[in-house]
Amino acid sequence: MISADLYLLKPALICPEQLNTLPVELSLEEQDYWRGIRQPGRQREYLLGRVLLRRLLADRLHCRPDELMFCTNVHGKPALCSHQWQFNLSHSGDWLVLALCETGPLGVDIEMGLRRRQTLPLAERFYAESEYQWLLSLPEQARESAFYRLWSRKEAVLKAQGNGIAAGLDKVCFMPEEGWRLDNRLDEQSYQVQDWPLGSGWLSLAAPTLKVNGYQLDARLKSTPLGPMLIHTIFRESAS
């Protein structure tokens, strides 16, 4: 049975000494891009994301990490040039998450809600009318979390499809009162969408399967598998 793998990491846990050993694992093109990132936190996230991606895919494809070649698909989404394995990354606040699956579509997104926004005007403008009305029906104190839960789910689907937010948030419509059923107005593809609390926000995964294997990465980038019963609580626990 096909399953998706989720890897969760706090980049701040990685010490500078270890970070300094990682750039040699990037391709020359990746090294140039990494050096051009001026914001230290984003630079660190990019380095860790690409190194982990190469290591984890190489393990699955039984090759060396430096043998992997990346390109973009018809939607401009990064992909492996000669393999079907799908991958997607997201970062927000203190968190970096990497998703892998043998087949697609696959998209992952974190929304921590760190920037204070007037969520209702944004929802009225960018969400489907039914989603906006659902947010209006909620108690005021619950709206912000619900807004970001919707946003995270929508972005996961849009990233799986490949066009991202430009394809239209309103074309990915969820029905929270119907078990978060997806009304897909984007394409003919089937997306299985799940989400988990992550700190003060949400992490969402759109994949071709509901079977998810969770892994937690430590300060040495070693992964610890999580039992099936923990996958729905690990993100809440990891936030503490």
Side-chain angles (χ1 to χ4, degrees):
M1 180 179 179
I2 294 173
S3 62
D5 297 329
L6 275 178
Y7 291 84
L8 179 66
L9 171 69
K10 276 190 171 182
L13 293 176
I14 313 303
C15 67
E17 291 77 11
Q18 185 175 5
L19 284 172
N20 290 338
T21 69
L22 299 180
V24 294
E25 299 187 40
L26 303 177
S27 69
L28 293 178
E29 182 179 3
E30 288 168 338
Q31 288 181 33
D32 287 342
Y33 186 86
W34 168 71
R35 291 190 188 98
I37 301 173
R38 299 306 177 194
Q39 208 282 330
R42 296 301 294 269
Q43 189 181 55
R44 179 177 57 193
E45 289 166 357
Y46 177 82
L47 174 62
L48 288 168
R50 298 305 291 189
V51 168
L52 284 170
L53 180 62
R54 285 186 173 275
R55 289 182 181 182
L56 295 169
L57 286 172
D59 285 344
R60 288 157 173 77
L61 295 169
H62 308 291
C63 66
R64 297 197 316 269
D66 61 0
E67 292 177 347
L68 296 171
M69 300 291 292
F70 297 94
C71 55
T72 55
N73 64 18
V74 294
H75 296 297
K77 182 181 179 182
L80 280 171
C81 294
S82 55
H83 300 282
Q84 293 301 309
W85 271 89
Q86 304 289 303
F87 59 87
N88 203 231
L89 295 90
S90 184
H91 49 78
S92 180
D94 297 332
W95 298 99
L96 171 67
V97 173
L98 170 63
L100 298 172
C101 191
E102 195 168 0
T103 186
L106 184 70
V108 66
D109 186 67
I110 310 171
E111 295 296 336
M112 299 301 294
L114 299 177
R115 289 179 291 175
R116 311 310 296 178
R117 293 169 168 165
Q118 292 188 331
T119 55
L120 280 180
L122 286 171
E124 185 176 22
R125 179 177 178 185
F126 294 111
Y127 286 6
E129 176 64 19
S130 62
E131 293 171 329
Y132 174 65
Q133 292 299 327
W134 175 72
L135 286 172
L136 279 178
S137 73
L138 297 178
E140 186 175 352
Q141 64 271 22
R143 288 175 185 165
E144 186 170 57
S145 178
F147 172 88
Y148 285 109
R149 188 177 187 182
L150 276 169
W151 190 291
S152 177
R153 281 176 160 261
K154 288 168 173 287
E155 275 245 43
V157 173
L158 290 165
K159 290 175 71 177
Q161 190 262 354
N163 276 332
I165 250 180
L169 287 167
D170 59 324
K171 293 182 180 178
V172 181
C173 179
F174 285 96
M175 306 294 184
E177 295 170 314
E178 299 179 25
W180 288 89
R181 178 177 65 84
L182 171 61
D183 178 10
N184 182 9
R185 306 169 185 178
L186 181 68
D187 56 24
E188 300 302 317
Q189 182 66 58
S190 175
Y191 301 95
Q192 303 290 333
V193 184
Q194 300 180 79
D195 62 25
W196 301 267
L198 179 58
S200 59
W202 292 91
L203 179 148
S204 295
L205 177 72
T209 177
L210 291 175
K211 183 178 180 183
V212 177
N213 305 309
Y215 299 87
Q216 196 164 9
L217 292 155
D218 62 20
R220 301 191 61 81
L221 300 182
K222 301 298 183 183
S223 63
T224 301
L226 308 169
M229 296 303 294
L230 288 179
I231 186 60
H232 290 282
T233 60
I234 184 58
F235 301 116
R236 189 191 302 273
E237 293 171 356
S238 296
S240 60

